[in-house]
Amino acid sequence: MTAEATLPSRWRFGRLTGIGPILALLAVLLMVIAIRQPSFYDPPSLLAFLKRAAPLVILAAGQYFVIVAGDFDLSVGSLVTAEVVIAARLIDGDPAMTWPVVALMIGFGLMVGLANGLITTALRVPSFITTLGMYLILVGAVYTWTGGSPRGALTEEFRLLGRRGIEGIPFLQQLPYAVLVLAGIATIAVVLMRSDFGKVLLAVGGNPRAAALSGARVNLMRVIAFLISGLFAAVAAVLLGGFGGVSFQVGAGLEFTAITAVVLGGVVLGGGRGSVIGAMLGAVTLEVLFTLLNLFGVSGALKSAVQGLIIIAAVAIGRTRRN
Amino acid sequence: MSGMRERGVWVALAATLTIGGLLVYADGGALFGQSSTVSMLQRAAGLGIVAIGQTFAILAGSLDLSVGFVISLTSLIAAETMAGSNGMVAPAILAVLAVSAGIGLVNGLLITKLRINAFIATLGVGLVIKGYLEHGYAGPAGSVPASFQRLGYDRIGPIPMSFLLMVAVAVVSWVVLKRTRFGHHVLAVGGDVDVARLSGVRTDRVLIRTHVICSLCAGIAGLYLASRLGAGAPRVGAEGGYDLESIAAVVLGGTVLAGGRGGVAGTVGGVALLAAIDSVFNQLAIDPFFKQVVRGTVIIAAVAVYALRLRRKEALA
């Protein structure tokens, strides 16, 4: 206690301790990879890893804003699926449609976020229920609209963002667009949280009544958090659509993985505590863990078991250290 | 207060059955024909048993996201232990109850002793079970004897055995919640855990018990599904969406997600409402996927109406 108090710029130290556990876990996993497969650290393969991790990190960043404001967003996985399926059907292989549809996807993500936010705040439905209902609605709607199997096709232009990159960069070979998108989103997220908006959002999640009494527009902040989550999910959908094929499975379960990542990053469910950097590091850590499990030849089936144990252990250790 | 919230779901159910029945009749069918009534009650049974268990966890201010995987796991334990032999039915039931109680105990201990958020603890336990299931099973396994299949298929008049099983679970749960000290403690813990602790309730123990009950109910639903399918199915729980739908049914029944208010009767109403919507859509042969859209809308609308009423009442008070 006293040692900490005598340190200069204590707020900075405090911010770092928040992400201490996740940094330690990430460091351990990265060290194991270094021993097992040093070639992971070749710049091209490192960038390929970041490209793979980008969608989950972006989703975790979006989920962070909602969670830190005291809510949940269970609809992001189904939103990603809906976005990709809608894009494939509307583009239907026509290159001229690519960018209008990408714009439409962004708009759709914002719209879903707005609906989640308004239902949660104006109608006072708990966000768990709002977004669970939205999840059912989105899944049902895309299945109904496509008659049970995805139709249409994405264009090469669309897949560019998820698959390709700027070629011919010395030393790196290729700089994937997905990594650039990730860098952009991460910058936006960090800047937002360092701004007044971020401070008010934390206050709203920590104690909504106190925040309201000190003049914060609590409901507006919560709606904006849902808007950000919807927007980031749309961006993740553009990348995921580029990586893989069009299927109803593309977003399945991503909401839980994103929430897991956020919690792993030291963010407290219920709101008010934790950093967006921690949330994104949580997502990177999960992806490193999946890579590591692959390296050790752990069957895909056991992955979720290991994932479950790590979450429980990480959260339990985080708790006992805090107390 | 909770009485009024619980009545809401029955009003909605009556409206759905009346309007749906008329629509089906106009379409040339019958919503209350023998076969459609039977399938409506059967659909209600599985989800109903899980949702009644979930009610305990939610009333105590917790929730359980692992029930879907517990259902799959226990259906396999039941079918593999029975392996088609009559003599093994009783040991299999005991094994299922023991394993599900054990999982509930683990959930409860993680939440109370390690102070892990219930969302994360039960999600984590669910993932561990999921990994075990996906690693060990590619498809259905084991088989239940014909005698045990009667639980899934026998009926008295239009009422399936499985529905009676659900009613039995509901009645026992209702008595436990309304008439026992434990039941009052559950509501106290869900209402305000600190106040409950200060008034001498052993809050951790109460919360652990609600999780054991919740998992036990999921285990009973697993037994029912094994008897219905004739074998254990590693994905039946996850594909049926029992985790989130059981929570939805509880909330639809007027129980507050934050805990402390609500009850089993409302949950049964919530399950019946979901089953009635299903039946109307099936009878009208509407796109089955569109059903999901309606479900989602109904859940949100119901909770919005409850919230509105609560505000009106507070404004009057």
Side-chain angles (χ1 to χ4, degrees):
Chain A
M1 264 305 175
T2 46
E4 194 181 316
T6 54
L7 276 166
S9 58
R10 184 170 172 267
W11 60 274
R12 237 182 170 180
F13 186 73
R15 181 172 290 174
L16 280 179
T17 47
I19 58 171
I22 189 67
L23 277 178
L25 180 59
L26 184 57
V28 170
L29 293 176
L30 287 174
M31 265 191 282
V32 178
I33 287 194
I35 296 162
R36 178 79 190 193
Q37 191 166 46
S39 65
F40 178 82
Y41 291 98
D42 294 346
S45 86
L46 204 55
L47 283 174
F49 166 79
L50 277 179
K51 177 165 106 175
R52 218 167 44 239
L56 184 63
V57 180
I58 292 170
L59 281 175
Q63 189 74 241
Y64 165 83
F65 285 93
V66 176
I67 289 183
V68 93
D71 288 306
F72 281 103
D73 191 349
L74 297 179
S75 69
V76 289
S78 61
L79 178 55
V80 166
T81 303
E83 295 267 22
V84 172
V85 171
I86 291 172
R89 177 137 184 218
L90 290 184
I91 293 178
D92 203 15
D94 177 8
M97 289 292 287
T98 303
W99 295 107
V101 168
V102 169
L104 187 88
M105 289 171 76
I106 300 292
F108 187 67
L110 286 170
M111 213 180 69
V112 170
L114 183 66
N116 281 335
L118 289 180
I119 293 169
T120 302
T121 54
L123 299 181
R124 300 205 195 175
V125 176
S127 56
F128 190 96
I129 299 297
T130 308
T131 57
L132 166 59
M134 185 59 78
Y135 160 90
L136 292 174
I137 291 171
L138 286 173
V139 170
V142 291
Y143 270 83
T144 308
W145 190 53
T146 55
S149 60
R151 295 182 206 167
L154 297 171
T155 53
E156 260 321 297
E157 284 82 359
F158 185 94
R159 293 181 182 276
L160 212 75
L161 281 171
R163 285 190 181 167
R164 309 225 171 262
I166 301 167
E167 301 291 337
I169 292 173
F171 185 62
L172 298 179
Q173 289 174 15
Q174 184 211 51
L175 183 60
Y177 293 124
V179 175
L180 290 175
V181 173
L182 171 61
I185 292 279
T187 311
I188 293 171
V190 171
V191 168
L192 273 176
M193 285 316 292
R194 300 225 162 165
S195 70
D196 288 346
F197 166 81
K199 283 168 195 124
V200 177
L201 193 71
L202 277 166
V204 163
N207 189 339
R209 180 158 286 189
L213 288 175
S214 49
R217 301 176 68 178
V218 173
N219 283 347
L220 179 68
M221 298 303 283
R222 289 168 74 196
V223 172
I224 293 174
F226 277 108
L227 279 171
I228 295 173
S229 178
L231 172 67
F232 284 14
V235 173
V238 173
L239 297 184
L240 280 168
F243 282 150
V246 179
S247 86
F248 285 132
Q249 293 306 311
V250 58
L254 280 181
E255 63 283 344
F256 284 129
T257 317
I259 294 173
T260 303
V262 171
V263 173
L264 208 52
V267 180
V268 180
L269 290 183
R273 272 196 301 188
S275 77
V276 70
I277 297 175
M280 291 189 288
L281 283 175
V284 172
T285 306
L286 270 186
E287 290 285 354
V288 171
L289 178 68
F290 294 151
T291 307
L292 203 58
L293 292 177
N294 273 341
L295 284 180
F296 278 97
V298 174
S299 88
L302 270 181
K303 251 186 213 169
S304 51
V306 177
Q307 190 189 341
L309 286 175
I310 296 256
I311 304 156
I312 293 175
V315 176
I317 292 167
R319 269 305 129 79
T320 43
R321 279 172 54 105
R322 221 186 335 265
N323 287 350
Chain B
M1 169 60 55
S2 73
M4 193 187 76
R5 294 174 66 95
E6 286 180 10
R7 269 203 301 283
V9 71
W10 296 107
V11 172
L13 177 63
T16 307
L17 288 176
T18 313
I19 298 168
L22 286 174
L23 285 174
V24 171
Y25 180 73
D27 198 48
L31 187 58
F32 298 102
Q34 173 97 341
S35 71
S36 52
T37 307
V38 169
S39 72
M40 181 158 52
L41 294 179
Q42 251 155 4
R43 251 196 302 274
L47 180 62
I49 295 168
V50 184
I52 290 166
Q54 190 74 260
T55 309
F56 279 87
I58 293 181
L59 278 176
S62 185
L63 91 183
D64 188 345
L65 293 175
S66 69
V67 286
F69 299 112
V70 173
I71 290 170
S72 305
L73 177 69
T74 51
S75 80
L76 284 161
I77 293 173
E80 289 198 310
T81 311
M82 289 179 198
S85 112
N86 277 324
M88 290 305 285
V89 168
I93 292 175
L94 285 178
V96 162
L97 295 181
V99 169
S100 46
I103 294 169
L105 184 65
V106 170
N107 281 336
L109 288 173
L110 288 174
I111 294 164
T112 54
K113 302 304 175 196
L114 293 183
R115 305 171 68 78
I116 301 176
N117 184 293
F119 187 101
I120 295 298
T122 59
L123 179 64
V125 167
L127 285 174
V128 171
I129 302 172
K130 179 186 179 209
Y132 170 78
L133 291 172
E134 285 181 352
H135 187 64
Y137 299 91
S143 72
V144 307
S147 63
F148 190 67
Q149 288 213 13
R150 296 180 58 184
L151 171 67
Y153 288 93
D154 274 15
R155 53 178 204 252
I156 302 163
I159 301 171
M161 285 288 285
S162 53
F163 186 75
L164 293 178
L165 177 67
M166 186 200 87
V167 171
V169 173
V171 169
V172 171
S173 304
W174 188 86
V175 170
V176 167
L177 280 172
K178 294 274 178 185
R179 293 277 179 269
T180 68
R181 188 192 300 191
F182 166 71
H184 297 304
H185 286 176
V186 169
L187 290 167
V189 168
D192 190 323
V193 70
D194 295 320
V195 170
R197 188 181 298 115
L198 290 174
S199 20
V201 178
R202 302 169 82 163
T203 54
D204 281 4
R205 192 179 280 197
V206 170
L207 199 85
I208 291 170
R209 281 187 192 162
T210 64
H211 273 281
V212 171
I213 292 171
C214 184
S215 287
L216 275 174
C217 286
I220 294 171
L223 283 169
Y224 162 59
L225 285 171
S227 84
R228 187 88 195 138
L229 302 169
R235 279 186 290 276
V236 66
E239 277 171 3
Y242 286 96
D243 39 9
L244 293 177
E245 285 210 10
S246 62
I247 295 172
V250 172
V251 174
L252 206 51
T255 295
V256 183
L257 192 59
R261 274 204 301 239
V264 166
T267 300
V268 172
V271 171
L273 180 57
L274 288 177
I277 294 171
D278 264 18
S279 280
V280 172
F281 275 70
N282 283 353
Q283 291 286 308
L284 292 176
I286 294 174
D287 192 328
F289 304 121
F290 187 67
K291 201 170 63 191
Q292 291 288 88
V293 179
V294 173
R295 283 186 160 201
T297 312
V298 166
I299 291 163
I300 292 177
V303 178
V305 170
Y306 296 150
L308 186 71
R309 280 203 198 155
L310 190 66
R311 253 181 298 166
R312 287 230 180 104
K313 227 180 143 85
E314 278 170 356
L316 286 174

